[in-house]
Amino acid sequence: MVDAAFGHPRLAAVYDPLDPDRGDLDAYLAMAEEFGARSVLDIGCGTGVFALLLAERGITVTGIDPARASVDVARGKPGAERVRWLDGDAGDLPPMRTDLVTMTGNVAQAITGPQAWRTTLRGAYEALRPGGRLVFETRDPARRVWEEWAQWTRETTYRMTDIPGVGHVETWAELTDVSLPLVSFRGTHVFAADGDVLTSQSTLRFRERTEIEQDLHEHGFVVEDVRDAPDRPGSEFVFVARRDTAEPVPPGIL
């Protein structure tokens, strides 16, 4: 099920102005340059911020996301014609051979179901050329960040943002459930223009490093590196996995 923060048209339209600092994408841009990527598939592209940054650099980009409202926002941005936008998940990809596949931000953790995760890894593998790389980040469960999130209340997370053409939007977040490895939280948005109140329920899956390494291996990847996230040092794993030339062993056989 698509999170309303990305799937509801009114919330998708204000996502970028409510979260304008995307300095976390700098590391991904640097890796695209490091690996000499001339083509990139961005899984979970959302409103297209990263895809458009890549396209500005002359890279051929495909962005895919199951949240149609977010992709519609991306399609309406300047330069959007330079990106191929797709509605769906990694199981809906057309044939391609790309240099790099990315999942930025919370994308990997937002894929909570085991089957959906396997579909994503298989789709990424099939989209890559032999020797191409998959790069994504995920929080380290050992840091137990949900204990910090337990302090989230309306009072501690409240913000009022004035968005041009929209007006004032009040927002806050609250942790709603910790049933490891799943952690859920709710976001509330109040639009001052008409008093409309919209909520979004988000769930993230916290996977152990060894679990992810095993999943990648089973789907034909070689883990080249596990890096630190520059924007959250000591709190996240950034996986760099290369598509092997041999066919992967189907999950469950090993």
Side-chain angles (χ1 to χ4, degrees), residues 139-216:
R139 290 175 179 81
D140 180 0
R143 303 296 296 180
R144 301 181 66 84
V145 69
W146 53 85
E147 294 179 352
E148 300 174 21
W149 295 351
Q151 308 304 314
W152 288 357
T153 64
R154 173 173 176 157
E155 291 71 26
T156 60
T157 63
Y158 179 88
R159 287 191 302 157
M160 171 81 82
T161 306
D162 186 15
I163 301 175
V166 175
H168 288 96
V169 180
E170 300 174 80
T171 59
W172 63 90
E174 300 163 285
L175 186 71
T176 56
D177 185 64
V178 178
S179 299
L180 296 176
L182 303 179
V183 176
S184 300
F185 49 94
R186 180 175 57 247
T188 301
H189 303 70
V190 181
F191 292 80
D194 57 8
D196 195 14
V197 179
L198 297 175
T199 60
S200 62
Q201 188 72 26
S202 305
T203 299
L204 301 179
R205 188 179 191 95
F206 285 75
R207 298 178 176 91
E208 299 289 345
R209 173 173 173 167
T210 54
E211 176 187 359
I212 296 172
E213 290 174 336
Q214 180 67 19
D215 289 344
L216 289 167

Side-chain angles (χ1 to χ4, degrees), residues 61-76:
V61 189
T62 298
I64 187 168
D65 200 294
R68 175 65 181 271
S70 290
V71 180
D72 284 345
V73 171
R75 289 186 173 109

Side-chain angles (χ1 to χ4, degrees), residues 111-156:
I111 303 170
T112 58
Q115 183 56 50
W117 180 238
R118 289 192 292 269
T119 297
T120 300
L121 294 182
R122 182 65 186 181
Y125 179 91
E126 292 177 346
L128 284 166
R129 63 167 175 78
R133 293 174 175 87
L134 166 65
V135 177
F136 63 92
E137 65 188 270
T138 183
R139 290 175 179 81
D140 180 0
R143 303 296 296 180
R144 301 181 66 84
V145 69
W146 53 85
E147 294 179 352
E148 300 174 21
W149 295 351
Q151 308 304 314
W152 288 357
T153 64
R154 173 173 176 157
E155 291 71 26
T156 60

Side-chain angles (χ1 to χ4, degrees), residues 6 13 17 55 92 101 135 145 166 222 240 249:
F6 311 103
D92 302 315
V101 174
V135 177
V145 69
V166 175
V222 176
V240 179
V249 177

